[in-house]
């Protein structure tokens, strides 16, 4: 299995992949790449790339692409989603974990005016974003991730 970890951050997801998975880790922030390398650089079958997903060129498609806590953080989620989805093989998988479907209470709306500049935009709606971009992606699984219900996980299949 060949996996692309987009916006891999400090590499928190890396230990959850099977040992034989070939991981391509990519992040636009040099500091994050260095951090992930320090933590997981000795893992076999891993490549670290300091690159913006919107500039990344790769001929060989991936079995799975992960966008975990990235779409609600990046400046252009549509472009990130399109570029990431283009790198998935037919019948391959897109895993998304992010803020979605939130009907924000007054306090959270207030909090979001700050967090959307520095962290997550809690008003992100993954399913609407996917519909808008008209990609060949079919939702196969959706779960609420946390007690606070602000974050969801989605598995899409490339058709
Ligand atoms: C909130 S962190 C999530 C990190 C990790 N995926 C996790 O689950 O903890 C978002 C990451 O996406 C990266 N990022 C944002 N826009 C990006 C882009 N256009 N291309 C590549 N990485 C990007 C940021 O540098 C940051 O490390």
């Amino acid at each position: 299995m060949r996996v692309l970890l987009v916006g891999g951050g400090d590499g928190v997801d890396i230990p959850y992949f099977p040992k034989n998975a070939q991981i391509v880790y990519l992040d636009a922030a040099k500091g994050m790449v260095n951090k992930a390398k320090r933590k997981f650089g000795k893992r076999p079958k891993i490549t670290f790339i300091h690159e913006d997903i919107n500039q990344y060129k790769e001929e060989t498609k991936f079995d799975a692409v992960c966008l975990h806590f990235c779409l609600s953080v990046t400046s252009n989620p549509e472009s990130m989603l399109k570029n990431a989805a283009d790198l998935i093989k037919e019948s391959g998988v897109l895993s998304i974990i992010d803020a979605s479907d939130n009907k924000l209470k007054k306090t959270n709306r207030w909090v979001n005016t700050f967090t959307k500049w520095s962290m997550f935009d809690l008003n992100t709606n993954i399913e609407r974003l996917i519909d808008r971009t008209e990609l060949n992606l079919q939702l196969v699984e959706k779960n609420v991730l946390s007690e606070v219900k602000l974050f969801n996980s989605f598995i899409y299949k490339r058709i």
Side-chain angles (χ1 to χ4, degrees), residues 78 81-82 125-139 156:
E78 288 193 16
L81 177 62
K82 274 185 189 156
N125 187 304
I126 299 297
E127 284 164 277
R128 267 192 241 142
L129 178 65
I130 302 256
D131 287 347
R132 270 207 310 277
T133 43
E134 295 177 353
L135 298 162
N136 291 329
L137 294 169
Q138 184 180 52
L139 182 63
Y156 284 89

Side-chain angles (χ1 to χ4, degrees), residues 7-9 12 26-29 32 51-53 68-70 73-74 80:
V12 67
L26 174 144
D27 201 291
M32 284 299 174
E51 180 77 273
D52 188 310
I53 184 63
H68 294 172
F69 301 104
C70 290
V73 168
T74 201
M80 174 181 260

Side-chain angles (χ1 to χ4, degrees), residues 12 20 24 29 40 47 57 69 73 101 117 122 125-126 143:
V12 67
N20 62 352
V24 176
F40 301 106
T47 312
K57 300 276 174 269
F69 301 104
V73 168
D101 302 344
W117 298 117
L122 297 172
N125 187 304
I126 299 297
N143 291 296

